[in-house]
């Protein structure tokens, strides 16, 4: 019999709320149409931000939002996106569909969006094609409250008070679209650029994010850290707060891309296997980080993760618009369980992307909006934000399949917050439910205070604008108490279950 043993007396660290972060890029219909429709739109909006979307996002408690890219960030010149909108410079979005970017969503609009969402800010700077001066002035524009050229310009543009920049990315994917650099070259550039990311407010220091590796490029991690920390004068210590990692779940690598909604058993398990690979990637990059930072002062920021399939038929291939099924809900559940378990190192993560691009939590079509299965998992898992990770382990569970399709039957993570124990479980089997006993350590009389399931249906199921609530988070009544600290449950096939005990 499969068993989950929880030792609620052993707390292993705090799950940073920012692990539940999101990524929004000037790509396809993520910013324009998805988040921002402009003040004059017929779609209900507050200062240009879609009201329905913001309201839905508030329900999942978005902790942080990364912007403006992605590859777009390393071609973005922030001064084009400030001031009177009709006078803003237009540019070609060369990376994403070659469309005209009118810069109507810029720094002020991003800050307004984060204010409405009540989330932290993560601005990604341009190291690939921008200058040190440009990056430095952007930071001054956003965060300096005194008398200075950039601060005065911000005031002229209507924002008297400086904003808080919680995180600042010093370049994006500089091994690729951000300049095709070698790790040694980037490491030196990081040292230089970050120097001018000034801290204007001691009480709200900006956390600087260094560009980390793509997938399993351990050489990049090793060499960037070596370059940054070897021969570094004492004052350089503490100049890097996080190191990023980007990993997309592509069942067959870059090609061929698979459909978001039509897949057979083989592709289903391949996709979940790729999701589970996050465990190995986080562990191995973290082990390299341990050599330079044994005290784990530098966090890992998995600031791009999610599934990447074929675009939906009839849509612009450069817009990366894809549907989202129960299979994606499982990818989300598996990945977030891994992040929870690695909360000693993973301090931030952003699903790519928030709306209408790749593994989105929301899709829109004109004035219509729907929540994807992935959204519902983020809603279930919101209880983990800021909670304490508890020691927990599974026994008596095996794996399904072999080789490229071999996955664990179940994955789990357990946290505690405000006296409530949050258990999240993924049953990866496409066909079979799984019986599980749960045993807690303390001799207490626990009760199930809340239980919910996403899935428990055909894993191909997805929400459409005609049927937006086919896959939702449903109450789960399959968890039964056997004794004060013992429970038993049956986890439905292809489902993500959350049980809360008090
Ligand atoms: O999320 C889409 C793209 O994937 C991002 O722009 C880039 O950083 C990554 O390669």
């Amino acid at each position: 019999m499969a068993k989950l043993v929880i030792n609620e007396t052993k707390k292993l660290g705090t799950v940073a709320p920012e692990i539940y972060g999101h990524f929004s890029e000037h790509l396809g219909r993520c910013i324009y149409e998805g988040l921002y429709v402009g003040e004059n739109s017929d779609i209900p909006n507050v200062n240009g931000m879609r009201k329905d979307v913001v309201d839905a996002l508030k329900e999942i408690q978005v902790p942080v939002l990364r912007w403006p890219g992605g590859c777009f960030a390393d071609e973005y010149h922030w001064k084009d996106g400030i001031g009177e909108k009709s006078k803003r410079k237009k540019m070609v979005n060369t990376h994403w569909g070659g469309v005209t970017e009118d810069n109507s969503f810029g720094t002020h609009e991003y800050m307004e969006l984060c204010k409405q969402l009540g989330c932290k800010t993560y601005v990604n700077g341009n190291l690939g094609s921008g200058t040190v001066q440009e990056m430095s002035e952007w930071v001054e524009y956003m965060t300096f409250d005194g008398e200075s050229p950039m601060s005065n310009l911000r005031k002229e543009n209507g924002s008297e008070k400086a904003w808080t920049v919680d995180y600042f990315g010093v370049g994006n994917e500089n091994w690729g679209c951000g300049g095709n650099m070698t790790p040694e070259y980037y490491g030196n550039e990081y040292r230089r650029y970050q120097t001018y990311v000034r801290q204007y407010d001691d009480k709200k220091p900006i956390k600087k994010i260094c560009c980390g590796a793509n997938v399993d490029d351990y050489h990049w991690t090793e060499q960037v850290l070596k370059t940054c920390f070897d021969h570094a004068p004492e004052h350089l210590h503490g100049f890097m707060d996080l190191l990023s990692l980007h990993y997309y779940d592509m069942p067959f690598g870059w090609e061929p891309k698979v459909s978001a909604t039509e897949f057979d058993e083989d592709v289903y398990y391949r996709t979940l296997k790729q999701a589970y690979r996050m465990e190995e990637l986080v562990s191995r990059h973290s082990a390299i980080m341990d050599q330079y930072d044994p005290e784990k002062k530098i966090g890992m920021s998995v600031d791009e993760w999610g599934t990447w399939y074929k675009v939906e038929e009839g849509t612009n291939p450069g817009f990366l618009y894809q549907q989202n099924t129960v299979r994606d809900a499982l990818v989300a559940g598996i990945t977030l369980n891994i992040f929870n378990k690695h909360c000693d190192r993973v301090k931030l993560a952003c699903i790519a992307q928030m709306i209408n691009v790749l593994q989105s939590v929301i899709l829109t079509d004109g004035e219509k909006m729907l929540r994807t299965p992935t959204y519902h998992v983020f809603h279930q898992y919101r209880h983990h934000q800021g909670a304490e990770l508890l020691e927990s382990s599974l026994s008596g569970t095996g794996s399904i399949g072999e080789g490229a399709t071999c996955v664990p039957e179940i994955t789990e993570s357990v946290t505690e917050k405000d006296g409530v124990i949050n258990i999240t479980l993924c049953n990866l089997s496409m066909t079979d439910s799984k019986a599980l006993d749960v045993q807690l350590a303390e001799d207490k009389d626990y009760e199930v205070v809340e239980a919910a399931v996403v899935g428990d249906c055909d894993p191909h199921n997805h929400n459409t604008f005609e049927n937006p609530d086919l896959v939702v988070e449903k109450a789960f009544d399959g968890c039964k108490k056997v004794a004060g600290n013992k429970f038993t449950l049956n986890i439905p096939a292809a489902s993500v279950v959350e049980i809360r005990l008090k």
Side-chain angles (χ1 to χ4, degrees):
M1 180 72 175
K3 194 167 182 183
L4 170 65
V5 175
I6 301 169
N7 183 355
E8 63 275 44
T9 64
K10 194 112 187 247
K11 298 201 166 77
L12 303 176
T14 307
V15 174
E18 289 87 340
I19 284 176
Y20 291 85
H22 295 252
F23 172 38
S24 63
E25 180 167 12
H26 288 241
L27 195 178
R29 298 184 303 109
C30 180
I31 300 286
Y32 302 110
E33 286 187 46
L35 290 160
Y36 179 77
V37 287
E39 295 84 345
N40 301 324
S41 172
D42 290 339
I43 298 175
N45 68 83
V46 176
N47 298 330
M49 312 301 153
R50 277 187 80 133
K51 199 172 161 349
D52 54 352
V53 166
V54 169
D55 288 347
L57 290 171
K58 278 171 145 170
E59 288 171 31
I60 55 172
Q61 294 169 12
V62 173
V64 63
L65 180 62
R66 178 173 180 240
W67 172 83
C71 294
F72 182 81
D74 268 305
E75 271 190 306
Y76 183 62
H77 300 286
W78 68 273
K79 283 187 184 159
D80 298 346
I82 55 168
E84 165 60 45
K85 283 197 186 174
S86 62
K87 296 201 187 107
R88 291 189 193 174
K89 201 181 191 176
K90 294 189 172 51
M91 68 180 279
V92 185
N93 192 333
T94 48
H95 268 292
W96 307 119
V99 293
T100 303
E101 161 66 57
D102 70 2
N103 277 308
S104 54
F105 187 96
T107 306
H108 291 250
E109 291 73 23
Y110 167 71
M111 292 296 178
E112 166 68 20
L113 174 61
C114 291
K115 189 175 105 190
Q116 291 188 23
L117 291 172
C119 73
K120 288 191 175 172
T121 55
Y122 172 179
V123 175
N124 209 113
N126 177 351
L127 180 140
S129 70
T131 61
V132 175
Q133 180 181 359
E134 186 181 1
M135 189 181 282
S136 165
E137 287 185 340
W138 198 8
V139 172
E140 181 188 324
Y141 186 88
M142 292 186 285
T143 62
F144 185 56
D145 241 341
E147 178 78 17
S148 85
M150 291 304 115
S151 146
N152 291 349
L153 184 59
R154 185 194 66 240
K155 290 174 194 163
E156 276 166 35
N157 288 331
S159 288
E160 192 58 33
K161 290 230 26 95
W163 298 290
T164 301
V165 172
D166 297 289
Y167 298 93
F168 191 86
V170 184
N172 167 72
E173 296 196 351
N174 303 93
W175 36 261
C177 65
N180 288 306
M181 298 172 187
T182 63
E184 296 80 7
Y185 182 81
Y186 172 73
N188 279 315
E189 288 294 86
Y190 178 81
R191 289 172 73 131
R192 187 163 76 107
Y193 275 68
Q194 70 76 34
T195 306
Y196 305 97
V197 174
R198 300 288 187 202
Q199 304 285 7
Y200 291 106
D201 187 344
D202 289 349
K203 290 190 208 87
K204 296 182 209 152
I206 300 169
K207 292 203 165 98
K208 298 174 194 174
I209 304 184
C210 175
C211 169
N214 185 31
V215 194
D216 56 358
D217 187 352
Y218 301 113
H219 176 72
W220 177 275
T221 301
E222 175 76 52
Q223 290 306 116
V224 164
L225 289 174
K226 189 168 189 290
T227 309
C228 286
F229 289 99
D230 273 8
H231 310 294
E234 198 48 40
H235 72 266
L236 272 186
H237 290 284
F239 77 140
M240 183 192 296
D241 297 289
L242 296 111
L243 179 69
S244 71
L245 167 67
H246 287 185
Y247 173 55
Y248 285 99
D249 181 339
M250 300 172 184
F252 293 95
W254 276 99
E255 294 299 342
K257 295 267 178 354
V258 301
S259 159
T261 51
E262 285 161 33
F263 46 87
D264 59 16
E265 203 175 297
D266 177 78
V267 173
Y268 168 86
Y269 284 118
R270 271 176 194 272
T271 314
L272 300 194
K273 167 107 182 176
Q274 290 301 315
Y276 192 65
R277 192 178 175 210
M278 187 66 89
E279 171 66 36
E280 175 195 324
L281 296 173
V282 168
S283 303
R284 291 189 60 185
H285 284 291
S286 188
I288 298 169
M289 291 171 80
D290 284 348
Q291 293 166 31
Y292 295 87
D293 172 38
E295 289 170 37
K296 293 190 165 52
K297 287 186 178 155
I298 301 174
M300 189 183 290
S301 170
V302 191
D303 45 38
E304 288 187 32
W305 69 270
T307 51
W308 192 319
Y309 307 127
K310 259 200 294 217
V311 300
E312 294 305 310
E313 230 171 271
T315 64
N316 185 331
F319 282 14
L320 310 184
Y321 176 74
Q322 68 188 38
Q323 253 292 355
N324 194 295
T325 68
V326 167
R327 174 179 57 161
D328 295 271
L330 278 151
V331 169
I334 293 165
T335 308
L336 295 168
N337 277 344
I338 293 170
F339 292 160
N340 285 346
K341 291 239 174 199
H342 285 275
C343 67
D344 59 337
R345 180 64 86 182
V346 181
K347 299 291 177 189
L348 194 155
C350 301
I351 191 165
Q353 299 191 7
M354 193 176 229
I355 302 192
N356 292 333
V357 173
L358 301 175
Q359 190 177 348
S360 306
V361 291
I362 287 178
L363 301 177
T364 66
D365 179 14
E367 77 226 347
K368 294 187 213 141
M369 179 210 92
L370 64 80
R371 295 164 170 83
T372 65
T374 299
Y375 172 97
H376 294 296
V377 171
F378 270 77
H379 190 261
Q380 285 180 306
Y381 277 56
R382 73 194 187 287
H383 297 116
H384 287 306
Q385 290 191 27
E388 291 300 307
L389 180 72
L390 299 183
E391 186 179 82
S392 63
S393 60
L394 287 166
S395 60
T397 64
S399 51
I400 308 164
E402 287 176 358
T405 62
C406 175
V407 293
E409 287 179 300
I410 307 177
T411 80
E412 54 78 31
S413 67
V414 185
T415 66
E416 183 180 341
K417 191 174 164 185
D418 302 330
V420 182
I421 294 175
N422 309 300
I423 308 168
T424 45
L425 297 154
C426 301
N427 179 357
L428 282 65
S429 171
M430 205 171 181
T431 48
D432 300 334
S433 64
K434 184 84 189 167
L436 181 76
D437 285 345
V438 178
Q439 168 81 67
L440 292 106
E442 290 201 294
D443 189 16
K444 280 193 186 167
D445 195 23
Y446 287 104
E447 296 294 342
V448 177
V449 290
E450 195 181 339
V453 61
V454 175
D456 186 15
C457 59
D458 181 341
H460 299 89
N461 280 4
H462 54 279
N463 296 331
T464 61
F465 295 103
E466 292 70 45
N467 191 1
D469 293 323
L470 180 64
V471 183
V472 290
E473 184 184 349
K474 294 177 296 188
F476 178 70
D477 60 6
C479 183
K480 308 284 174 223
K481 186 162 159 171
V482 180
N485 60 0
K486 277 191 192 149
F487 295 81
T488 186
L489 70 147
N490 218 23
I491 319 169
S495 75
V496 181
V497 167
E498 178 207 30
I499 313 279
R500 304 188 73 220
L501 305 174
K502 196 169 174 176

